[in-house]
Amino acid sequence: LFYSFVLDMYYIENGNIKGWIEPKNIGFLNNKNTKVAIINNNTNTYQRINGQNKYKYNSGDIIETNGEELDYFYSEKSGWIAKKDIAIIDELEKNKRIFANKKEVNFNTDLTGNNYKNVSIGTEYILLGTTDKYNLVQSKNTGEKGWIAKIDMSFTKPDLNDPVILITSTNVDENN
């Protein structure tokens, strides 16, 4: 890539393609490694933005991207994918122990909400990453990976033997 101040144009060479391009027709890619999860089934990636399909992905699939521009992420392996079709995975708390904190929690194999199994309170997982609504987890026992809603998990193991208080009688005094 070469810029000519005299012509106010960029010269590019990419394989058999060579020539001058006006700056308004060039978008610069911000180099940034990001792990993303596909939200919906049958999501396409493209060789060029809005160009020919490169691959098709399903909900819950994970892609490692190398860069981004305004509306798209780019992966050298997968091509371009629209930001509206993905959820960014945050790995700040990766490898921490995390537990199901309700009696019945849905362990999802994808992000559609249609493919799940119920797991019991106290089931232990290893946190692999988080999106805005879900934790990507791996079962401590089976190694199975999946998605569980953030509200259904905690870093503190729930007490499976919570004491139950039973009120057998009451006394009301003059102060209520």
Side-chain angles (χ1 to χ4, degrees):
L1 185 66
F2 168 77
Y3 178 73
S4 168
F5 289 100
V6 174
L7 298 174
D8 187 28
M9 296 180 84
Y10 287 95
Y11 181 78
I12 64 163
E13 288 186 19
N14 186 3
N16 294 333
I17 301 171
K18 298 177 185 177
W20 293 93
I21 298 178
E22 293 180 26
K24 68 179 182 180
N25 294 324
I26 293 180
F28 289 96
L29 188 64
N30 297 323
N31 290 332
K32 181 180 178 184
N33 293 327
T34 306
K35 196 175 276 190
V36 299
I38 304 298
I39 297 171
N40 298 307
N41 285 328
N42 300 314
T43 296
N44 292 317
T45 60
Y46 304 94
Q47 290 180 340
R48 293 177 301 282
I49 294 177
N50 292 325
Q52 181 180 359
N53 291 358
K54 188 166 186 178
Y55 297 108
K56 194 173 290 262
Y57 290 93
N58 287 316
S59 177
D61 288 345
I62 297 170
I63 298 174
E64 295 198 27
T65 65
N66 314 96
E68 67 176 296
E69 65 90 48
L70 189 61
D71 295 322
Y72 292 86
F73 279 102
Y74 177 74
S75 166
E76 289 177 7
K77 177 185 171 209
S78 303
W80 295 94
I81 185 163
K83 287 183 177 181
K84 67 178 179 54
D85 294 328
I86 58 91
I88 295 173
I89 298 174
D90 180 350
E91 294 181 310
L92 286 176
E93 298 183 289
K94 185 176 181 176
N95 295 323
K96 285 189 174 183
R97 292 172 57 197
I98 194 165
F99 303 89
N101 65 8
K102 295 186 177 163
K103 287 188 181 196
E104 283 194 9
V105 171
N106 290 344
F107 178 89
N108 300 280
T109 56
D110 60 31
L111 296 172
T112 65
N114 298 325
N115 301 305
Y116 66 89
K117 65 180 180 181
N118 290 326
V119 295
S120 303
I121 187 170
T123 304
E124 184 176 348
Y125 294 92
I126 301 298
L127 185 62
L128 301 176
T130 62
T131 67
D132 58 337
K133 296 178 185 173
Y134 290 92
N135 289 321
L136 174 59
V137 296
Q138 182 173 15
S139 170
K140 185 94 168 163
N141 294 330
T142 66
E144 185 179 16
K145 293 179 184 178
W147 300 91
I148 298 178
K150 282 182 168 181
I151 61 170
D152 293 338
M153 301 198 84
S154 68
F155 290 107
T156 305
K157 186 170 185 170
D159 186 353
L160 302 179
N161 297 311
D162 275 341
V164 175
I165 299 173
L166 181 62
I167 300 174
T168 57
S169 67
T170 61
N171 261 341
V172 179
D173 65 11
E174 64 275 358
N175 296 326
N176 287 331

